[in-house]
Amino acid sequence: MKRVAIQGRVGSFHDIAAHRYFEDEQIQLICCDTFEQIFENIAQDPTVIGMLAIENTIAGSLLHNYELLRESGTAIVGEFKLHIQHAICCLPDDDWDSLCEVHSHPVALMQCRNFLAGHPGLKAVEADDTAGAAAYIKENTCRGWAAICHVAAAARYGMKVLEDHIEDNKHNFTRFLVVSDPARTDSLRDLEQSNKSSLVFSLPHEEGSLSKVLTILSFYHINLTKIQSLPVIGHEWEYLFYVDVTYNSLTRYRQGVDAIRPLTQELKILGEYADGKQTNS
């Protein structure tokens, strides 16, 4: 049985992503209040696997998670892209006419902004977790409160679904990373089947330094799929570049990394893994 640390409660989107990624496998969830606790669990027990959100097609990148990933020393062994769908739910005895507040994670509230604008009588209240909001309302019998979460979380906590698919954008996906202690990577992914890599590096403050790196990657037929820059704290106008690339040949990819290494500073491979498929359910 795999032990998987997630941020949030049972029924959260992290829970759904973990079970779908490890489909047909037995997993035991370690529910964490923060993303920091995911990495703390891996540090305390190297057999623990972490599942964490890294970017959303609407809300963008979770910048702090990039820093946690780099500083933790863990390795990416996989990814999963989950279709995010939201429902509004309440206690079985409540209904539209008795509701005054709606609770959820701030990102979920943002993703349902148009829906909430159509219900001006509902006060939006931020919570730490979508499923956690539903659980809290049920466990504390909070009459007049609603939660925005996945319909599966509503069912798990015995909440009544008032309306499903209330997200503003129906093409809303979150990309999750699967991370582990570096010593366990070979048991969790087949390197020969990998076609994607995540890198982080800094560059000298010189004209054209980034374009030189990108030109070399192109020469080796390495496709850049994402680039995210974050400032280096304490060093004005210096940045770390987090880069995702895809490739068809592991050998050519490795040659490309070796070719750009002299042009970069502190280049680190965060993980080599298979491109995650996208689920629409």
Side-chain angles (χ1 to χ4, degrees), residues 13 86 104-113 116 130 148-149:
F13 289 105
H86 295 299
S104 194
H105 190 278
V107 173
L109 294 173
M110 182 200 71
Q111 292 171 350
C112 301
R113 186 179 300 157
L116 294 175
T130 54
I148 290 177
C149 60

Side-chain angles (χ1 to χ4, degrees), residues 217-273:
L217 293 178
S218 176
F219 175 80
Y220 283 92
H221 303 292
I222 300 172
N223 182 39
L224 181 74
T225 61
K226 181 178 176 63
I227 183 167
Q228 179 74 55
S229 64
L230 289 178
V232 179
I233 305 301
H235 296 266
E236 295 81 3
W237 320 123
E238 292 186 21
Y239 299 89
L240 286 170
F241 293 91
Y242 292 83
V243 174
D244 290 339
V245 298
T246 57
Y247 48 87
N248 295 320
S249 167
L250 181 63
T251 300
R252 288 188 66 86
Y253 150 75
R254 290 282 176 84
Q255 291 172 341
V257 172
D258 288 342
I260 67 171
R261 196 178 293 275
L263 303 178
T264 65
Q265 299 169 346
E266 302 178 19
L267 186 147
K268 182 178 182 181
I269 299 173
L270 298 175
E272 297 162 338
Y273 48 98

